[in-house]
Amino acid sequence: MTRTFQSSLFDMDGVVNGAVDSEDVTVRALRGSVRRTRLGDGAWLDLRRGWLTGADILFERLRDVVPWRAESRVMYDRTVVVPRLLCFYGEGRSLPDVALTEARDGLDAYYRVELGESFATAGLCFYRDGRDSVAWHGDRFGRSRTEDTMIAILSVGAPRGLLLRPRNGGPSQRFEVGHGDLLVMGGSCQRTWDHAVPKTTTPTGPRISVQFRPRGVS
């Protein structure tokens, strides 16, 4: 059973006399507020906590309006259900909420010079509870298999642990992201590091992640 979503007490910028305006979702500035961690082998990770105000309201809107679908995949000669719900918005397709369009525009303004192009697509994942997950992997299909690139992940809803570890072995690093946090994996990260959102038996609420990618990166 999916746990009931509980808003963060820290996502309070839209609160007036105890009420939150349902339209009050704001994308904050990135300049001067992003912390970069050098991971090694040309990989890096940027983190901006609380990038959105009203992020919990955005979670509820996305939960209700996105046409979520379940997928199955063949693994080891058997078909398994992907343990999360998915929706993909390809290049040129309108995003399901104006706040996501504003977020993409903010990413473009901040990263365009370093990235050399715009973010073109958005993949959404709905982690309904601690049983939903994504296994260790790198997004090494398309151009990211041979080129440095960026994948920007916006998380709304309850925090979940996103783990990264060197592809050739070594300890993992854990980042708890949710309630409007932004995490950007860049440089060689998709080729030299793997990442995962593991299952957890700790009671946790639902989370939606939005992955913004450049053209040809998947």
Side-chain angles (χ1 to χ4, degrees):
M1 179 181 296
T2 301
R3 284 177 57 86
T4 301
F5 175 64
Q6 185 172 15
S7 298
S8 169
L9 295 177
F10 299 99
D11 189 23
M12 299 294 286
D13 285 25
V15 173
V16 180
N17 295 326
V20 179
D21 184 343
S22 64
E23 297 300 317
D24 191 8
V25 179
T26 304
V27 180
R28 289 169 160 157
L30 289 174
R31 190 170 305 279
S33 63
V34 176
R35 185 187 68 177
R36 177 162 296 187
T37 300
R38 299 287 179 179
L39 298 172
D41 296 324
W44 53 262
L45 180 144
D46 279 358
L47 188 62
R48 203 305 188 186
R49 296 289 186 190
W51 185 36
L52 300 187
T53 68
D56 295 337
I57 296 299
L58 178 58
F59 166 85
E60 294 176 349
R61 297 202 312 233
L62 295 177
R63 177 195 61 196
D64 294 340
V65 305
V66 170
W68 300 106
R69 69 180 187 278
E71 288 190 355
S72 298
R73 296 176 184 172
V74 176
M75 296 181 63
Y76 308 111
D77 298 324
R78 65 191 182 96
T79 300
V80 297
V81 176
V82 173
R84 59 195 178 279
L85 300 180
L86 304 169
C87 190
F88 180 74
Y89 291 82
E91 187 173 4
R93 184 179 173 190
S94 296
L95 297 178
D97 195 282
V98 66
L100 296 188
T101 303
E102 293 172 357
R104 184 184 59 196
D105 291 345
L107 290 168
D108 285 344
Y110 185 77
Y111 286 106
R112 189 188 302 273
V113 172
E114 186 176 11
L115 179 59
E117 59 185 310
S118 299
F119 290 90
T121 66
L124 278 67
C125 295
F126 186 8
Y127 299 85
R128 294 158 291 186
D129 55 31
R131 293 170 294 183
D132 281 352
S133 64
V134 60
W136 286 106
H137 71 288
D139 294 344
R140 289 186 280 270
F141 295 98
R143 292 167 48 206
S144 53
R145 184 175 182 178
T146 57
E147 300 176 17
D148 286 1
T149 189
M150 296 183 196
I151 296 177
I153 303 174
L154 169 63
S155 295
V156 295
R160 287 287 297 272
L162 189 149
L163 277 61
L164 289 97
R165 69 183 183 190
R167 189 180 182 191
N168 293 327
S172 63
Q173 300 187 41
R174 183 183 183 93
F175 300 86
E176 295 284 335
V177 287
H179 295 310
D181 295 333
L182 173 70
L183 185 149
V184 181
M185 296 179 285
S188 69
C189 195
Q190 300 308 318
R191 301 194 311 278
T192 60
W193 287 66
D194 288 333
H195 56 279
V197 178
K199 296 180 187 295
T200 178
T201 58
T202 302
T204 185
R207 164 183 174 255
I208 293 172
S209 70
V210 185
Q211 305 99 45
F212 294 99
R213 294 179 172 89
R215 178 186 298 120
V217 174
S218 60

